[in-house]
Coordinates of all heavy atoms in Angstrom, one line a residue:
M776 N 0.8 -1.2 0.0 CA 0.0 0.0 0.0 C 0.9 1.3 0.0 O 1.8 1.4 0.7 CB -0.9 0.0 1.2 CG -2.1 0.9 1.1 SD -3.1 0.8 2.5 CE -4.5 -0.1 1.8
S777 N 0.5 2.2 -0.8 CA 1.3 3.4 -0.9 C 0.9 4.4 0.1 O -0.3 4.5 0.5 CB 1.0 4.1 -2.3 OG 1.7 5.3 -2.4
K778 N 1.9 5.2 0.7 CA 1.6 6.1 1.7 C 1.7 7.5 1.1 O 1.9 8.5 1.8 CB 2.6 6.0 2.8 CG 2.4 4.7 3.6 CD 3.2 4.7 4.9 CE 2.9 3.4 5.7 NZ 3.4 3.4 7.0
A779 N 1.5 7.7 -0.2 CA 1.6 9.0 -0.8 C 0.3 9.8 -0.4 O -0.8 9.2 -0.3 CB 1.6 8.8 -2.3
T780 N 0.4 11.1 -0.2 CA -0.7 11.9 0.1 C -1.5 12.3 -1.2 O -1.0 12.3 -2.3 CB -0.2 13.2 0.7 OG1 0.6 13.9 -0.1 CG2 0.5 12.9 2.1
V781 N -2.7 12.4 -1.0 CA -3.6 12.8 -2.1 C -4.2 14.2 -1.9 O -4.7 14.5 -0.9 CB -4.8 11.7 -2.2 CG1 -5.8 12.1 -3.3 CG2 -4.2 10.4 -2.3
S782 N -4.0 15.0 -2.9 CA -4.5 16.4 -2.8 C -6.0 16.4 -3.1 O -6.5 15.6 -3.9 CB -3.8 17.2 -3.9 OG -4.4 18.5 -3.9
G783 N -6.7 17.2 -2.3 CA -8.2 17.3 -2.5 C -8.6 18.1 -3.7 O -9.7 18.1 -4.2
T784 N -7.7 18.9 -4.2 CA -8.0 19.7 -5.4 C -7.3 19.2 -6.6 O -6.1 18.7 -6.6 CB -7.6 21.1 -5.2 OG1 -6.2 21.2 -5.0 CG2 -8.3 21.7 -4.0
Q785 N -8.0 19.1 -7.7 CA -7.4 18.7 -8.9 C -7.6 19.8 -10.0 O -8.6 20.4 -10.0 CB -8.2 17.4 -9.4 CG -8.0 16.2 -8.5 CD -8.8 15.0 -9.0 OE1 -9.6 15.2 -10.0 NE2 -8.7 13.9 -8.4
P786 N -6.6 20.0 -10.8 CA -6.7 21.1 -11.8 C -7.8 20.7 -12.8 O -7.9 19.6 -13.2 CB -5.4 21.1 -12.4 CG -4.8 19.8 -12.1 CD -5.3 19.3 -10.9
T787 N -8.6 21.7 -13.1 CA -9.6 21.5 -14.1 C -9.4 22.5 -15.3 O -8.8 23.5 -15.1 CB -11.1 21.7 -13.6 OG1 -11.1 23.1 -13.1 CG2 -11.3 20.7 -12.4
A788 N -9.9 22.1 -16.4 CA -9.8 23.0 -17.6 C -11.0 23.9 -17.6 O -12.1 23.4 -18.0 CB -9.7 22.1 -18.9
G789 N -10.9 25.1 -17.2 CA -12.0 26.0 -17.3 C -13.0 25.9 -16.1 O -12.6 25.2 -15.1
K790 N -14.2 26.4 -16.2 CA -15.1 26.2 -15.2 C -16.3 25.5 -15.6 O -17.5 25.8 -15.4 CB -15.5 27.6 -14.7 CG -14.5 28.4 -13.9 CD -15.1 29.6 -13.3 CE -14.2 30.2 -12.3 NZ -14.7 30.6 -11.1
T791 N -16.2 24.4 -16.4 CA -17.2 23.6 -16.9 C -17.1 22.2 -16.1 O -16.0 21.7 -15.8 CB -17.2 23.3 -18.4 OG1 -16.0 22.7 -18.7 CG2 -17.4 24.7 -19.1
H792 N -18.2 21.7 -15.9 CA -18.3 20.3 -15.2 C -19.4 19.6 -15.8 O -20.6 20.1 -15.7 CB -18.4 20.5 -13.7 CG -18.4 19.2 -12.9 ND1 -17.3 18.4 -12.9 CD2 -19.4 18.6 -12.2 CE1 -17.5 17.4 -12.1 NE2 -18.8 17.4 -11.8
H793 N -19.2 18.5 -16.4 CA -20.2 17.7 -17.1 C -21.0 18.4 -18.1 O -22.2 18.4 -18.1 CB -21.1 17.0 -16.1 CG -20.4 16.1 -15.2 ND1 -19.9 14.9 -15.6 CD2 -20.1 16.2 -13.9 CE1 -19.4 14.2 -14.6 NE2 -19.4 15.0 -13.5
G794 N -20.4 19.4 -18.8 CA -21.0 20.1 -19.8 C -21.8 21.4 -19.3 O -22.5 22.1 -20.0
I795 N -21.7 21.7 -18.0 CA -22.4 22.8 -17.4 C -21.5 23.9 -17.2 O -20.4 23.7 -16.5 CB -23.1 22.4 -16.1 CG1 -24.1 21.3 -16.4 CG2 -23.9 23.6 -15.5 CD1 -24.7 20.7 -15.1
D796 N -21.7 25.2 -17.6 CA -20.9 26.3 -17.4 C -21.2 26.9 -16.1 O -22.3 27.5 -15.9 CB -21.1 27.3 -18.6 CG -20.1 28.4 -18.5 OD1 -19.2 28.4 -17.6 OD2 -20.2 29.4 -19.3
H797 N -20.4 26.8 -15.1 CA -20.6 27.4 -13.8 C -20.1 28.8 -13.6 O -20.2 29.4 -12.5 CB -19.9 26.5 -12.7 CG -20.5 25.1 -12.6 ND1 -21.7 24.9 -12.0 CD2 -20.1 23.9 -13.1 CE1 -22.0 23.6 -12.1 NE2 -21.1 23.0 -12.7
S798 N -19.7 29.4 -14.7 CA -19.2 30.8 -14.6 C -20.3 31.8 -14.8 O -20.1 33.0 -14.6 CB -18.1 31.1 -15.6 OG -18.7 31.0 -16.9
I799 N -21.5 31.4 -15.1 CA -22.7 32.2 -15.3 C -23.4 32.4 -14.0 O -23.7 31.5 -13.3 CB -23.6 31.6 -16.4 CG1 -22.9 31.4 -17.7 CG2 -24.9 32.5 -16.5 CD1 -23.7 30.7 -18.7
D800 N -23.6 33.7 -13.6 CA -24.4 34.0 -12.4 C -25.9 33.8 -12.7 O -26.4 34.6 -13.6 CB -24.1 35.4 -11.9 CG -24.8 35.7 -10.6 OD1 -25.1 34.7 -9.9 OD2 -25.0 36.9 -10.3
L801 N -26.6 32.9 -12.0 CA -28.0 32.6 -12.2 C -28.9 33.6 -11.5 O -30.1 33.6 -11.8 CB -28.3 31.2 -11.9 CG -27.5 30.1 -12.7 CD1 -27.8 28.8 -12.2 CD2 -27.8 30.3 -14.2
G802 N -28.4 34.2 -10.5 CA -29.3 35.1 -9.7 C -30.0 34.5 -8.5 O -30.5 35.1 -7.7
H803 N -30.0 33.1 -8.5 CA -30.6 32.3 -7.4 C -32.0 32.7 -7.0 O -32.5 32.6 -5.9 CB -29.7 32.5 -6.1 CG -28.3 32.0 -6.4 ND1 -28.0 30.6 -6.5 CD2 -27.1 32.6 -6.5 CE1 -26.7 30.5 -6.8 NE2 -26.2 31.7 -6.7
G804 N -32.8 33.3 -8.0 CA -34.2 33.5 -7.8 C -34.5 34.6 -6.8 O -35.5 34.7 -6.3
N805 N -33.6 35.5 -6.7 CA -33.7 36.7 -5.8 C -34.6 37.8 -6.5 O -34.0 38.7 -7.0 CB -32.4 37.3 -5.4 CG -32.1 37.3 -3.9 OD1 -33.0 37.0 -3.1 ND2 -30.9 37.7 -3.5
S806 N -35.8 37.6 -6.4 CA -36.8 38.5 -7.0 C -38.0 38.6 -6.3 O -38.4 37.7 -5.5 CB -37.0 38.1 -8.5 OG -37.7 36.9 -8.5
P807 N -38.9 39.7 -6.5 CA -40.2 39.7 -5.8 C -41.0 38.5 -6.2 O -41.8 38.0 -5.4 CB -40.8 41.0 -6.3 CG -39.6 41.9 -6.6 CD -38.5 40.9 -7.1
A808 N -41.0 38.1 -7.5 CA -41.8 36.9 -7.9 C -41.5 35.7 -7.2 O -42.3 34.9 -6.7 CB -41.7 36.7 -9.4
A809 N -40.2 35.4 -7.0 CA -39.7 34.2 -6.3 C -40.0 34.3 -4.9 O -40.5 33.3 -4.2 CB -38.2 34.1 -6.5
W810 N -39.9 35.4 -4.2 CA -40.2 35.5 -2.8 C -41.7 35.4 -2.5 O -42.1 34.8 -1.6 CB -39.7 36.9 -2.2 CG -38.2 36.8 -1.9 CD1 -37.2 37.4 -2.7 CD2 -37.5 36.2 -0.9 NE1 -36.0 37.1 -2.1 CE2 -36.1 36.3 -1.1 CE3 -38.0 35.4 0.2 CZ2 -35.2 35.9 -0.2 CZ3 -37.1 34.9 1.1 CH2 -35.7 35.1 0.9
T811 N -42.5 36.0 -3.4 CA -43.9 35.9 -3.2 C -44.4 34.4 -3.3 O -45.1 33.9 -2.5 CB -44.7 36.7 -4.2 OG1 -44.3 38.1 -4.1 CG2 -46.2 36.7 -4.1
C812 N -43.9 33.7 -4.4 CA -44.1 32.3 -4.6 C -43.8 31.5 -3.4 O -44.7 30.7 -2.9 CB -43.4 31.9 -5.8 SG -43.6 30.1 -6.2
V813 N -42.6 31.7 -2.9 CA -42.2 30.8 -1.8 C -42.9 31.1 -0.5 O -43.4 30.2 0.2 CB -40.6 31.1 -1.5 CG1 -40.2 30.5 -0.2 CG2 -39.8 30.5 -2.7
I814 N -43.2 32.5 -0.2 CA -43.9 32.8 1.1 C -45.3 32.2 1.0 O -45.8 31.6 2.0 CB -43.8 34.2 1.3 CG1 -42.4 34.6 1.7 CG2 -44.8 34.7 2.4 CD1 -42.1 36.2 1.8
V815 N -46.0 32.4 -0.1 CA -47.4 31.9 -0.2 C -47.5 30.4 -0.1 O -48.3 29.8 0.5 CB -48.1 32.5 -1.5 CG1 -49.4 31.8 -1.7 CG2 -48.2 34.0 -1.4
M816 N -46.5 29.8 -0.8 CA -46.5 28.3 -0.7 C -46.1 27.8 0.7 O -46.6 26.7 1.1 CB -45.5 27.7 -1.7 CG -46.0 27.9 -3.1 SD -44.9 27.2 -4.4 CE -45.2 25.5 -4.2
L817 N -45.3 28.5 1.4 CA -45.0 28.1 2.9 C -46.3 28.2 3.7 O -46.5 27.4 4.6 CB -43.8 29.0 3.4 CG -42.5 28.5 3.0 CD1 -41.4 29.6 3.4 CD2 -42.1 27.2 3.5
I818 N -47.0 29.3 3.5 CA -48.2 29.5 4.3 C -49.2 28.3 3.9 O -49.8 27.7 4.8 CB -48.9 30.9 3.9 CG1 -48.0 32.0 4.5 CG2 -50.3 30.9 4.5 CD1 -48.4 33.4 4.1
G819 N -49.3 27.9 2.6 CA -50.2 26.8 2.2 C -49.7 25.5 2.9 O -50.5 24.7 3.3
A820 N -48.4 25.3 2.9 CA -47.8 24.1 3.5 C -48.1 24.1 5.1 O -48.4 23.0 5.6 CB -46.3 24.0 3.3
L821 N -48.0 25.2 5.7 CA -48.4 25.3 7.1 C -49.8 25.0 7.3 O -50.1 24.2 8.3 CB -48.0 26.7 7.6 CG -48.4 27.0 9.1 CD1 -47.5 26.1 10.0 CD2 -48.3 28.4 9.5
I822 N -50.7 25.5 6.5 CA -52.1 25.2 6.7 C -52.3 23.7 6.5 O -53.1 23.1 7.3 CB -53.0 26.0 5.6 CG1 -52.9 27.5 6.0 CG2 -54.4 25.5 5.6 CD1 -53.4 28.4 5.0
A823 N -51.8 23.1 5.5 CA -52.0 21.7 5.2 C -51.4 20.8 6.2 O -52.0 19.8 6.6 CB -51.4 21.4 3.7
S824 N -50.3 21.2 6.8 CA -49.6 20.4 7.8 C -50.5 20.4 9.1 O -50.6 19.4 9.7 CB -48.3 21.0 8.1 OG -47.4 21.0 7.0
I825 N -50.9 21.6 9.5 CA -51.8 21.7 10.7 C -53.1 20.8 10.5 O -53.5 20.1 11.4 CB -52.1 23.1 11.1 CG1 -50.8 23.8 11.6 CG2 -53.2 23.2 12.1 CD1 -50.9 25.3 11.7
A826 N -53.7 21.0 9.3 CA -54.9 20.3 9.0 C -54.6 18.8 9.0 O -55.5 18.0 9.4 CB -55.5 20.7 7.6
F827 N -53.5 18.3 8.5 CA -53.1 16.9 8.6 C -53.1 16.4 10.0 O -53.6 15.3 10.3 CB -51.8 16.7 7.8 CG -51.5 15.3 7.6 CD1 -52.1 14.4 6.7 CD2 -50.5 14.7 8.5 CE1 -51.7 13.2 6.5 CE2 -50.2 13.4 8.4 CZ -50.8 12.6 7.4
V828 N -52.5 17.2 10.9 CA -52.3 16.8 12.2 C -53.7 16.7 13.0 O -53.9 15.7 13.7 CB -51.4 17.7 13.0 CG1 -51.4 17.4 14.4 CG2 -50.0 17.6 12.4
I829 N -54.5 17.6 12.6 CA -55.8 17.6 13.3 C -56.9 16.7 12.6 O -58.1 16.7 12.9 CB -56.4 19.0 13.6 CG1 -56.6 19.7 12.3 CG2 -55.5 19.7 14.6 CD1 -57.4 21.1 12.5
A830 N -56.4 16.1 11.5 CA -57.3 15.2 10.6 C -58.5 15.9 10.1 O -59.6 15.4 10.2 CB -57.7 13.9 11.4
N831 N -58.3 17.0 9.5 CA -59.3 17.8 8.8 C -59.1 17.9 7.3 O -58.3 18.7 6.8 CB -59.4 19.2 9.4 CG -60.7 19.9 9.0 OD1 -61.2 19.8 7.9 ND2 -61.2 20.8 10.0
S832 N -59.7 17.0 6.5 CA -59.5 16.9 5.1 C -59.8 18.2 4.3 O -59.1 18.6 3.5 CB -60.3 15.7 4.5 OG -59.8 14.5 5.0
P833 N -60.9 18.9 4.6 CA -61.2 20.1 3.7 C -60.2 21.1 3.9 O -59.7 21.8 2.9 CB -62.6 20.5 4.2 CG -63.2 19.3 4.8 CD -62.1 18.5 5.4
I834 N -59.7 21.4 5.1 CA -58.7 22.4 5.4 C -57.3 21.9 4.8 O -56.5 22.7 4.3 CB -58.6 22.7 6.9 CG1 -59.8 23.4 7.4 CG2 -57.4 23.6 7.1 CD1 -59.9 23.6 8.8
F835 N -57.1 20.6 4.8 CA -55.8 20.1 4.2 C -55.8 20.4 2.7 O -54.9 21.0 2.2 CB -55.7 18.6 4.4 CG -54.7 18.0 3.6 CD1 -53.3 18.0 4.1 CD2 -54.9 17.3 2.4 CE1 -52.3 17.4 3.4 CE2 -53.9 16.7 1.7 CZ -52.6 16.8 2.2
W836 N -56.9 20.1 2.1 CA -57.0 20.5 0.6 C -57.0 22.0 0.3 O -56.5 22.4 -0.7 CB -58.2 19.7 0.0 CG -57.9 18.3 -0.1 CD1 -58.6 17.3 0.6 CD2 -56.9 17.6 -0.9 NE1 -58.0 16.1 0.3 CE2 -57.0 16.2 -0.6 CE3 -56.0 18.0 -1.8 CZ2 -56.2 15.2 -1.2 CZ3 -55.2 17.0 -2.4 CH2 -55.3 15.7 -2.1
A837 N -57.5 22.7 1.2 CA -57.5 24.2 1.1 C -55.9 24.7 1.2 O -55.6 25.5 0.4 CB -58.3 24.9 2.2
G838 N -55.2 24.1 2.0 CA -53.8 24.4 2.1 C -53.0 24.0 0.8 O -52.1 24.8 0.4
I839 N -53.4 22.9 0.3 CA -52.8 22.4 -1.0 C -53.2 23.4 -2.1 O -52.3 23.8 -2.9 CB -53.3 21.0 -1.4 CG1 -52.8 20.0 -0.4 CG2 -52.8 20.7 -2.8 CD1 -51.3 19.8 -0.1
A840 N -54.4 23.9 -2.1 CA -54.9 24.9 -3.1 C -54.1 26.2 -2.9 O -53.7 26.9 -3.9 CB -56.4 25.1 -2.9
V841 N -53.9 26.7 -1.7 CA -53.0 27.9 -1.4 C -51.6 27.7 -2.0 O -51.0 28.6 -2.6 CB -53.0 28.2 0.1 CG1 -52.0 29.3 0.4 CG2 -54.4 28.6 0.6
M842 N -51.1 26.5 -1.9 CA -49.7 26.2 -2.5 C -49.8 26.4 -4.0 O -48.9 27.0 -4.6 CB -49.3 24.9 -2.1 CG -48.9 24.8 -0.6 SD -48.5 23.1 0.0 CE -47.2 22.5 -1.1
F843 N -50.9 25.9 -4.7 CA -50.9 26.1 -6.1 C -51.2 27.6 -6.4 O -50.7 28.0 -7.5 CB -52.1 25.2 -6.7 CG -51.7 23.8 -6.9 CD1 -52.2 22.8 -6.1 CD2 -50.8 23.5 -7.9 CE1 -51.8 21.5 -6.3 CE2 -50.4 22.1 -8.1 CZ -50.9 21.2 -7.2
V844 N -51.9 28.3 -5.6 CA -52.1 29.7 -5.8 C -50.7 30.5 -5.8 O -50.4 31.4 -6.5 CB -53.1 30.4 -4.8 CG1 -53.1 31.9 -4.8 CG2 -54.5 29.8 -5.1
G845 N -49.9 30.0 -4.8 CA -48.6 30.6 -4.7 C -47.8 30.4 -5.9 O -47.1 31.3 -6.4
L846 N -47.8 29.2 -6.4 CA -47.1 28.8 -7.7 C -47.6 29.7 -8.8 O -46.8 30.3 -9.6 CB -47.3 27.4 -8.0 CG -46.4 26.8 -9.1 CD1 -44.9 26.9 -8.7 CD2 -46.8 25.3 -9.3
L847 N -48.9 29.8 -8.9 CA -49.5 30.6 -10.0 C -49.1 32.1 -9.8 O -48.8 32.8 -10.8 CB -51.0 30.4 -10.0 CG -51.8 31.2 -11.1 CD1 -51.4 30.7 -12.5 CD2 -53.2 31.1 -10.8
A848 N -49.1 32.6 -8.6 CA -48.8 34.0 -8.4 C -47.3 34.3 -8.8 O -47.0 35.3 -9.4 CB -49.0 34.4 -6.9
G849 N -46.4 33.4 -8.5 CA -45.0 33.6 -8.9 C -44.9 33.6 -10.4 O -44.1 34.4 -10.9
F850 N -45.6 32.7 -11.1 CA -45.5 32.6 -12.5 C -46.0 33.9 -13.2 O -45.4 34.4 -14.0 CB -46.3 31.4 -13.0 CG -46.3 31.3 -14.5 CD1 -45.2 30.8 -15.2 CD2 -47.4 31.6 -15.2 CE1 -45.2 30.7 -16.5 CE2 -47.4 31.5 -16.6 CZ -46.3 31.0 -17.3
V851 N -47.2 34.4 -12.6 CA -47.8 35.6 -13.2 C -46.9 36.8 -12.9 O -46.7 37.6 -13.8 CB -49.2 35.8 -12.6 CG1 -49.7 37.2 -12.9 CG2 -50.2 34.7 -13.1
M852 N -46.3 36.9 -11.8 CA -45.4 38.0 -11.5 C -44.2 37.9 -12.3 O -43.6 39.0 -12.7 CB -45.0 38.0 -10.0 CG -46.1 38.4 -9.1 SD -45.6 38.5 -7.3 CE -44.6 39.9 -7.3
R853 N -43.7 36.8 -12.6 CA -42.5 36.6 -13.5 C -42.8 37.1 -14.8 O -42.0 37.8 -15.5 CB -42.0 35.2 -13.5 CG -40.7 35.0 -14.4 CD -40.2 33.6 -14.2 NE -41.2 32.6 -14.7 CZ -41.1 31.8 -15.8 NH1 -40.0 32.0 -16.5 NH2 -42.0 31.0 -16.1
K854 N -44.0 36.7 -15.4 CA -44.4 37.1 -16.7 C -44.7 38.6 -16.7 O -44.5 39.3 -17.8 CB -45.6 36.4 -17.2 CG -45.4 34.9 -17.5 CD -44.5 34.8 -18.6 CE -44.2 33.4 -19.0 NZ -43.2 33.3 -20.1
A855 N -45.0 39.2 -15.6 CA -45.3 40.7 -15.6 C -44.0 41.5 -15.4 O -44.1 42.7 -15.4 CB -46.2 41.0 -14.4
G856 N -42.9 40.8 -15.3 CA -41.6 41.6 -15.2 C -41.0 41.6 -13.9 O -40.0 42.4 -13.7
Y857 N -41.5 40.9 -12.9 CA -40.9 41.0 -11.5 C -40.0 39.8 -11.2 O -39.7 39.6 -10.1 CB -42.0 41.1 -10.5 CG -42.8 42.4 -10.5 CD1 -44.0 42.5 -11.2 CD2 -42.2 43.5 -10.0 CE1 -44.6 43.7 -11.3 CE2 -42.9 44.7 -10.1 CZ -44.0 44.8 -10.7 OH -44.7 46.0 -10.8
G858 N -39.6 39.0 -12.2 CA -38.7 37.9 -12.0 C -37.3 38.3 -12.1 O -37.0 39.5 -12.2
V859 N -36.3 37.4 -12.1 CA -35.0 37.7 -12.2 C -34.7 38.3 -13.5 O -35.0 37.8 -14.6 CB -34.1 36.4 -12.0 CG1 -32.6 36.7 -12.3 CG2 -34.2 35.8 -10.6
G860 N -34.1 39.5 -13.5 CA -33.8 40.3 -14.7 C -35.0 40.8 -15.4 O -35.0 41.1 -16.6
G861 N -36.1 40.9 -14.6 CA -37.3 41.4 -15.2 C -37.3 42.9 -15.6 O -36.5 43.7 -15.1
S862 N -38.2 43.3 -16.4 CA -38.3 44.7 -16.9 C -38.7 45.7 -15.8 O -38.5 46.9 -16.0 CB -39.2 44.7 -18.2 OG -40.5 44.4 -17.8
K863 N -39.4 45.3 -14.8 CA -39.9 46.2 -13.8 C -38.9 46.4 -12.6 O -39.2 47.1 -11.7 CB -41.2 45.6 -13.2 CG -42.3 45.4 -14.2 CD -43.1 46.6 -14.5 CE -44.0 46.4 -15.6 NZ -45.4 46.2 -15.3
L864 N -37.8 45.6 -12.7 CA -36.9 45.7 -11.5 C -35.7 46.7 -11.9 O -35.3 46.8 -13.1 CB -36.4 44.4 -11.2 CG -37.4 43.4 -10.7 CD1 -36.7 42.0 -10.4 CD2 -38.1 43.8 -9.5
K865 N -35.2 47.3 -10.9 CA -34.0 48.1 -11.1 C -32.8 47.1 -10.9 O -32.5 46.6 -9.9 CB -33.8 49.2 -10.0 CG -34.8 50.3 -10.1 CD -34.7 51.3 -9.0 CE -35.7 52.4 -9.1 NZ -35.6 53.4 -8.0
N866 N -32.1 46.9 -12.0 CA -30.9 46.1 -12.0 C -29.6 46.8 -11.7 O -28.9 47.2 -12.6 CB -30.8 45.3 -13.2 CG -32.0 44.3 -13.5 OD1 -32.4 43.8 -12.6 ND2 -32.5 44.3 -14.7
T867 N -29.4 47.1 -10.4 CA -28.3 47.9 -9.9 C -27.0 47.1 -9.8 O -26.0 47.6 -9.9 CB -28.5 48.6 -8.6 OG1 -28.8 47.5 -7.6 CG2 -29.8 49.6 -8.7
G868 N -27.2 45.8 -9.7 CA -26.0 44.9 -9.6 C -25.3 45.0 -8.4 O -24.1 44.6 -8.2
H869 N -25.9 45.5 -7.3 CA -25.3 45.7 -6.0 C -24.1 44.9 -5.9 O -23.3 44.5 -5.4 CB -26.3 45.4 -4.9 CG -26.9 44.1 -5.0 ND1 -28.0 43.8 -5.7 CD2 -26.6 42.9 -4.4 CE1 -28.3 42.5 -5.6 NE2 -27.4 41.9 -4.8

């Protein structure tokens, strides 16, 4: 058995890995559309979770419906220009 040390870093050619270019900044969904979608869906998940614990089916399905409304709200806001790189946002590049 060899006692040679192994380095944790290996040189790579460029910033691509399996055909994906990692040098492009994706924005990570930091937009009013994404935040609205996530917050509304979290509220729906909370409603559905509480209804599941107290075994109330109508409220559970209402919570699931709120989650779909959040998904729809995020989609509509993105199409309206409030998504990442949208026309309604000030792209200051902080």
